[in-house]
Amino acid sequence: MGKVVLVTGAARHLGGRFVRRVQRDPEVDRVVAVDAVAPAHDLGGADFVRADIRQPAIARVLAEHDVDTVVHMDVTGTALGTGGRTSVKETNVIGTMQLLGACQKSPRIKRLVIKSSTSVYGSAPRDPAVFTETTPAKSLPSGGFAKDAVEVEGYVRGFARRRPDVAVCVLRFANILGPRVDSPLGEYLSLPVLPTVLGYDPRLQFVHEDDVIDVLQLGAKEPRRATLNSGTFNIAGDGVLLLSQCARRLGRPTVPVLLPAVTWVGSALRTVGVTDFAPEQIRLLTHGRVVSTVQMRETLGFTPRFTTAETFADFTAGRGPGLLPPERLAGAVDRVAARLAHSPVESVESGD
């Protein structure tokens, strides 16, 4: 008999995509999709169970379906439907605690995959140039989804100590983008004008939603020869982009704002429901964050299909043209550069 895979967060876009993908794995016999709300998308031949992972009943679901592999994707920074920040935090933290408690009691569980985030490293002025999986955060996140992710990973480490027989794979994803993914950063980048922090141009990494599905499936399978898919891994596309480069490629003008005023701007945008410009996102858009993906390639054996730049290009293609179309903006920059090259100031300097 093949494996029985339980996937949480099946009502979300990525959860639904993964449920449909893992059904095509010949090693998988059944897929159990779980969420507190009914999904609006098709789940193929998966067994959908409407269950709230914050409730102890999730243990009964594991037992009734003889689940041996759990892929926990219901760790997220955005609410689904009418739920607010409180509901998201409860699902992230309390839901994970209940799920891990159920897994600990189940003798059939052999593999656990956790969708986490590189936000666990925080964003601070004294951060290292590149975070590895073992680099401690200079300033631990104090709130929001980043703090949830830190707490979730703490509970997962405790579970791994209590159940050393279970292969645990924690995937720390960089900012996930794609044509259809909804995220706070995606909402921010979709604004007609991008507020930025005056004097800062952070480095950003992205991972494509297609690569997210691929690596989750890799984590849920038995390791391939010469690889190991238990442990903690940073997942990101090659390369980095500066926020200013992102704005130019989107054709979005930027409005630099003094750092003390950014919080006020974020609160105003959040109040009117434009985007969740939370403090953790403000820190990311101030100091940026870059992670090493050496372990992803050499140990996990995963190579993303999309670079950071290609991921962003695919995201951009799904958005409407900005106020400053990139080709016009590039032309304007070239004309300014040409004029500066022949300016009187340069002529005087070259003659000295």
Side-chain angles (χ1 to χ4, degrees):
M1 183 177 178
K3 295 193 298 183
V4 179
V5 181
L6 181 141
V7 182
T8 66
R12 297 180 180 276
H13 167 69
L14 283 176
R17 283 197 61 186
F18 181 73
V19 167
R20 293 190 295 272
R21 167 70 69 82
V22 77
Q23 290 175 64
R24 301 199 295 266
D25 189 335
E27 298 178 4
V28 174
D29 183 64
R30 283 189 299 129
V31 178
V32 182
V34 173
D35 211 311
V37 298
H41 43 252
D42 178 47
L43 295 178
D47 298 329
F48 176 69
V49 178
R50 187 165 183 168
D52 191 335
I53 62 172
R54 295 173 293 180
Q55 303 299 325
I58 189 63
R60 187 170 64 251
V61 176
L62 293 177
E64 289 179 352
H65 292 270
D66 293 326
V67 173
D68 53 51
T69 302
V70 173
V71 180
H72 184 28
M73 297 183 64
D74 210 358
V75 180
T76 180
T78 57
L80 189 63
T82 58
R85 168 61 196 156
T86 301
S87 175
V88 170
K89 181 176 179 60
E90 288 179 354
T91 300
N92 289 343
V93 180
I94 305 302
T96 298
M97 290 176 62
Q98 288 285 3
L99 180 65
L100 293 178
C103 290
Q104 183 177 334
K105 297 174 183 177
S106 173
R108 284 188 55 83
I109 296 296
K110 300 301 179 187
R111 182 166 293 276
L112 172 67
V113 182
I114 303 292
K115 173 181 169 287
S116 187
S117 167
T118 57
S119 63
V120 297
Y121 300 114
S123 294
R126 295 184 180 180
D127 281 350
V130 179
F131 282 100
T132 68
E133 287 83 352
T134 58
T135 307
K138 293 292 183 182
S139 178
L140 282 173
S142 58
F145 170 64
K147 185 178 180 182
D148 293 352
V150 170
E151 294 183 25
V152 164
E153 287 200 12
Y155 294 131
V156 172
R157 285 192 293 271
F159 170 83
R161 289 192 296 269
R162 294 187 295 271
R163 286 290 303 270
D165 59 309
V166 177
V168 178
C169 181
V170 177
L171 301 173
R172 291 175 176 168
F173 291 102
N175 302 288
I176 301 173
L177 286 183
R180 296 168 296 277
V181 169
D182 292 325
S183 67
L185 185 62
E187 292 175 355
Y188 162 78
L189 292 170
S190 298
L191 293 173
V193 178
L194 304 182
T196 61
V197 182
L198 181 65
Y200 293 88
D201 195 7
R203 299 176 301 156
L204 302 173
Q205 281 177 310
F206 304 113
V207 58
H208 197 280
E209 60 176 290
D210 292 353
D211 288 321
V212 171
I213 301 302
D214 289 344
V215 74
L216 283 167
Q217 185 173 19
L218 179 64
K221 297 167 67 74
E222 293 299 316
R224 296 175 298 188
R225 186 175 181 180
T227 67
L228 180 67
N229 62 354
S230 57
T232 301
F233 302 96
N234 294 329
I235 309 295
D238 285 348
V240 300
L241 283 176
L242 298 175
L243 180 57
S244 60
Q245 292 176 306
C246 295
R248 287 196 296 270
R249 296 181 188 200
L250 283 166
R252 260 66 169 177
T254 59
V255 178
V257 181
L258 289 171
L259 185 56
V262 174
T263 302
W264 178 85
V265 173
S267 298
L269 290 173
R270 194 161 56 247
T271 299
V272 298
V274 175
T275 181
D276 186 10
F277 209 72
E280 63 188 89
Q281 187 165 313
I282 293 174
R283 285 189 286 271
L284 174 66
L285 296 177
T286 304
H287 307 294
R289 185 189 308 118
V290 177
V291 299
S292 168
T293 56
V294 172
Q295 292 302 315
M296 175 190 75
R297 295 177 177 278
E298 297 184 355
T299 304
L300 185 60
F302 178 72
T303 301
R305 288 183 284 160
F306 294 82
T307 65
T308 284
E310 290 169 344
T311 298
F312 193 76
D314 201 29
F315 167 79
T316 302
R319 299 299 186 271
L323 299 176
L324 302 174
E327 60 276 5
R328 290 178 56 189
L329 184 61
V333 171
D334 290 342
R335 288 193 294 274
V336 171
R339 289 189 178 185
L340 290 176
H342 298 89
S343 65
V345 175
E346 182 173 322
S347 300
V348 171
E349 289 178 348
S350 60
D352 288 344

